[in-house]
Amino acid sequence: MKTRSQIPVPKIAFEGTGTANPLAFRHYNPDEVVDGRPLSEHLRFSVAYWHAFRGTGGDPFGPGTIRRPWEEGRDALSVAKKRLDAAFEFFQKIRVPFWCFHDRDIAPEGRTLAESNRNLDQIVAHAKALQQATGIKLLWGTANLFSNPRYMNGAATNPDAHVFAYAAAQVKKALEVTQELGGENYVFWGGREGYETLLNTDLKREQAHLAAFLHMAVDYAKAIGFDGQFLIEPKPKEPTKHQYDFDVASGIAFLRTHGLAKHLKFNIETNHATLAGHSFSHEIEVAAAAGMLGSIDANTGDPLLGWDTDQFNTDVKELTLAMVSILKAGGLGRGGLNFDAKLRRASVDIEDLFHAHIGGMDAYALAFKVARRIIADGKLTRFVADRYASYDDGFGRDIAKRKIGFKELDRLVQTKLGEPKPRSGRQEYLENLLNDYLH
Ligand code: XLS
Ligand code: NI
Ligand code: NI
């Protein structure tokens, strides 16, 4: 499949840290073999279609600033195809093995659901051919259940069962096309699954409906033989005032309450963690502790702004800590690092899209290498293990194994142990140690 080049930037090469070329990788060498596998397979980078190819730089104060030549044209379907061609050219040049999309990002919505589905089928056929020609794969698909005005009161949590039904039909189709494209995961992000005011909301009922919706998705995936991993993507707010999948912990409680825990894992987004008042690593650790770490939406917020700014993350320290948690958890499996991040409003050139992804990929690649060193070195791991060593034998072990109770512990303290000696947590020492690895 040969398409005309639409992007006047060459393929990005790995040139190492000595290079002065801004359009080159300094740390990400996709072919570098680590533990018998290329780096590209460890990091599983993905481009988010909605930002990279549907983002316009628009904000609530003004329309889009970013104009791409492939957007010219009156027929929405031909534009959609040209745009997809440009996207796959970009995926190859930036050397990502994966992409992700929402149904409505790739194909225009029609006047009826049937027409929307037909549009989607045409574009999916085109995407399939591009995937085959380039070897680029689908990390995950999802449905946009938040932009169309019909979803203003929610999709699965809409008080009107008619809207629920429409959302169900849309997700049915989105699952089918994700399967058609060999998607390795399917994501549920509940953009409008929450409430604006409790004055008009039956919270318990809405949560039960959301659970019913997810069960239907699980059943339908089984019926069609879709074996991708389902992922839920927590976010505390925006666009709703309060989203039900607030953070990983409340997501776990929700999934367990409704018998869904074995069917879903988490897609953790850095900026969503921050909005929930957590660190990125906290969310990863909470998911990993439950055996539910699925995938990452790689981005960051701005420390001075309280909304989802979806920026590219170049903070190597933050990413190193995240990578340590991910590697300790055994990696992301069939998940990946999806750049759910967008250009700033004034970054209007196509080069900016390259700089953005190069920065994100290099920062993650460097973080991955530093994290591996930290783990191989073992100092941090040993420090933590030592800190809990009193639970490894004796009465500590009995506590951990739940073989002992208050009565026995009371007797122990009163007859033998007495007052515990203070033990330093050594936080400052550990922070300095971390810096040793980073510099
Ligand atoms: C929005 C979300 C969204 C999901 C996919 O904040 O991050 O982009 O990742 O629906
Ligand atoms: Ni996201
Ligand atoms: Ni987000």
Side-chain angles (χ1 to χ4, degrees), residues 235 269 272 308 310 340:
K235 182 173 182 178
E269 181 164 319
H272 298 183
D308 201 9
D310 285 340
D340 191 354

Side-chain angles (χ1 to χ4, degrees), residues 190-363:
R192 297 195 191 271
E193 313 295 24
Y195 62 81
E196 289 300 319
T197 171
L198 285 171
L199 290 173
N200 64 14
T201 301
D202 186 332
L203 179 146
K204 189 172 178 190
R205 261 182 115 165
E206 289 201 355
Q207 290 194 332
H209 296 161
L210 180 56
F213 194 90
L214 293 174
H215 274 293
M216 287 179 201
V218 169
D219 292 345
Y220 190 67
K222 204 162 160 211
I224 62 172
F226 173 64
D227 64 356
Q229 173 66 51
F230 277 135
L231 301 170
I232 192 163
E233 182 180 324
K235 182 173 182 178
K237 57 189 164 208
E238 193 195 314
T240 57
K241 181 173 93 168
H242 184 106
Q243 242 177 253
Y244 293 129
D245 53 354
F246 191 94
D247 59 1
V248 175
S250 51
I252 292 172
F254 169 79
L255 295 173
R256 286 190 181 149
T257 303
H258 296 281
L260 285 157
K262 65 172 183 297
H263 301 295
L264 287 104
K265 290 185 174 177
F266 286 90
N267 184 37
I268 296 171
E269 181 164 319
T270 323
N271 200 172
H272 298 183
T274 321
L275 291 175
H278 301 306
S279 68
F280 184 24
S281 307
H282 171 88
E283 289 293 79
I284 294 170
E285 292 273 341
V286 176
M292 294 168 87
L293 176 60
S295 198
I296 301 290
D297 265 6
N299 66 11
T300 188
D302 184 299
L304 302 184
L305 299 174
W307 67 87
D308 201 9
T309 58
D310 285 340
Q311 289 169 242
F312 285 81
N313 198 340
T314 54
D315 181 343
V316 178
K317 185 169 174 180
E318 179 181 41
L319 299 184
T320 297
L321 291 170
M323 268 297 165
V324 167
S325 298
I326 291 171
L327 292 178
K328 273 195 324 194
L332 292 171
R334 65 202 309 182
L337 298 168
N338 172 49
F339 291 109
D340 191 354
K342 64 184 176 203
L343 294 175
R344 298 306 89 195
R345 183 170 165 73
S347 299
V348 295
D349 296 341
I350 192 69
E351 283 79 359
D352 293 313
L353 196 61
F354 282 86
H355 291 307
H357 285 84
I358 288 170
M361 292 162 84
D362 264 346

